[in-house]
Amino acid sequence: MEEVHVKEVEPKEVKDYLRLIAAQNESTRRIRIEGIKDAITDEQRRRRGSAIVAAISFAVATHFSGINPDVAIQTEIQALNSFEALKDYLSMITPAMYATMAATAASFSNFIRHNRAFRRANKEFDNMVNNEPVNLQDLVEKQAKTM
Amino acid sequence: MIEVGKILQADGNEYTLVDKFIKDNNTYLYLSNINEIGDFIFGKLDGEDIVLLNDPDELEMALKQFNADLHNFN
């Protein structure tokens, strides 16, 4: 039974997970806030709108990690159409933006999925070890007999 | 304190604050680059800095909270 659990810790998955963690660690971990704009132009207001729509769409795609992010984003954008405040911005999402959003969402979906697999494997490994505790008394007796 | 919808300059870019929440004395931020769709930042405030989340458990917790916040429009 334990062997089955060990097989679930596929080296490739663990390796992929570690690679993602390493990538996160290598990225800029701290950024300085240089300023907050009080007055913004119409152009900045327009770009802010599309950035917020993309961010809202992305959030749902990551939440449903495990399903196709492309489908999640498509569904989400349709749902957002019902919100008056966002309607003006939806038409700004071009196919290129859409592709970028889907790719980013897919990356995070993989990240979370690998994290879950890694945690599950760790837990199963701990359970396996705890179920077969080392009997130190036996070891001492065995050592004594060999002397 | 940064307000949702504000545009801030950081790392040579312009980001808008999409959402924020406070948990365990940490202020978590969700930022979206207004000049590059798909460039998102998930971090937490540390003085004048934003520390990017690189712990997967913390990142997942933050993503779920942001998602819940952003889909509770009513």
Side-chain angles (χ1 to χ4, degrees), chain A:
Chain A
M1 191 64 180
E2 284 79 4
E3 282 186 9
V4 173
H5 289 165
V6 172
K7 280 180 182 175
E8 285 185 13
V9 189
E10 291 180 13
K12 185 177 181 304
E13 278 197 358
V14 174
K15 190 178 172 184
D16 284 350
Y17 171 78
L18 294 175
R19 183 173 55 78
L20 284 165
I21 293 292
Q24 290 263 320
N25 289 335
E26 284 170 8
S27 66
T28 308
R29 297 183 64 185
R30 178 181 288 268
I31 60 175
R32 173 59 53 94
I33 299 173
E34 295 152 1
I36 299 172
K37 291 179 182 261
D38 289 324
I40 59 173
T41 64
D42 286 344
E43 175 62 15
Q44 284 175 322
R45 187 173 289 108
R46 186 187 67 78
R47 283 189 273 121
R48 178 185 65 180
S50 55
I52 288 175
V53 169
I56 293 172
S57 303
F58 173 69
V60 78
T62 55
H63 181 67
F64 291 115
S65 81
I67 71 166
N68 186 345
D70 192 49
V71 173
I73 288 174
Q74 193 173 31
T75 306
E76 182 67 5
I77 287 176
Q78 286 169 356
L80 290 175
N81 264 305
S82 61
F83 298 103
E84 288 294 329
L86 296 175
K87 267 184 179 175
D88 291 343
Y89 301 125
L90 293 171
S91 60
M92 298 173 190
I93 299 178
T94 65
M97 291 175 177
Y98 186 80
T100 307
M101 286 159 57
T104 313
S107 172
F108 268 86
S109 293
N110 283 334
F111 180 75
I112 290 171
R113 195 159 53 243
H114 281 294
N115 176 37
R116 285 186 180 137
F118 187 76
R119 277 185 299 176
R120 188 174 64 244
N122 262 343
K123 188 173 184 305
E124 287 170 353
F125 180 76
D126 286 344
N127 289 341
M128 184 181 74
V129 171
N130 289 335
N131 286 339
E132 296 176 6
V134 177
N135 189 332
L136 295 174
Q137 187 62 37
D138 285 352
L139 287 175
V140 171
E141 286 177 2
K142 186 178 178 183
Q143 186 70 17
K145 285 176 183 174
T146 60
M147 292 179 71

Side-chain angles (χ1 to χ4, degrees), chain A residues 17 21 24-25 27-38 40 44-45 47-48 50-52 54-64 76 80 83 86 97-98 100-101 104 108 111-112 115-116 119, chain B residues 1-2 5-18 29-35 37-38 40-42 45-46 48-57 59-60 63-64 66-67 70-71 73-74:
Chain A
Y17 171 78
I21 293 292
Q24 290 263 320
N25 289 335
S27 66
T28 308
R29 297 183 64 185
R30 178 181 288 268
I31 60 175
R32 173 59 53 94
I33 299 173
E34 295 152 1
I36 299 172
K37 291 179 182 261
D38 289 324
I40 59 173
Q44 284 175 322
R45 187 173 289 108
R47 283 189 273 121
R48 178 185 65 180
S50 55
I52 288 175
I56 293 172
S57 303
F58 173 69
V60 78
T62 55
H63 181 67
F64 291 115
E76 182 67 5
L80 290 175
F83 298 103
L86 296 175
M97 291 175 177
Y98 186 80
T100 307
M101 286 159 57
T104 313
F108 268 86
F111 180 75
I112 290 171
N115 176 37
R116 285 186 180 137
R119 277 185 299 176
Chain B
M1 182 60 78
I2 310 168
K6 286 283 187 182
I7 293 177
L8 59 91
Q9 292 168 300
D11 202 26
N13 286 307
E14 292 178 312
Y15 294 92
T16 186
L17 181 61
V18 180
L29 306 176
Y30 181 9
L31 300 166
S32 183
N33 190 332
I34 70 166
N35 299 311
I37 297 296
F40 306 115
I41 286 179
F42 303 95
L45 267 183
D46 180 16
E48 293 297 309
D49 293 350
I50 299 169
V51 180
L52 273 65
L53 303 180
N54 57 19
D55 174 75
D57 291 337
L59 176 61
E60 187 170 358
L63 282 171
K64 286 181 175 174
F66 289 136
N67 186 70
L70 295 171
H71 294 84
F73 290 99
N74 296 322

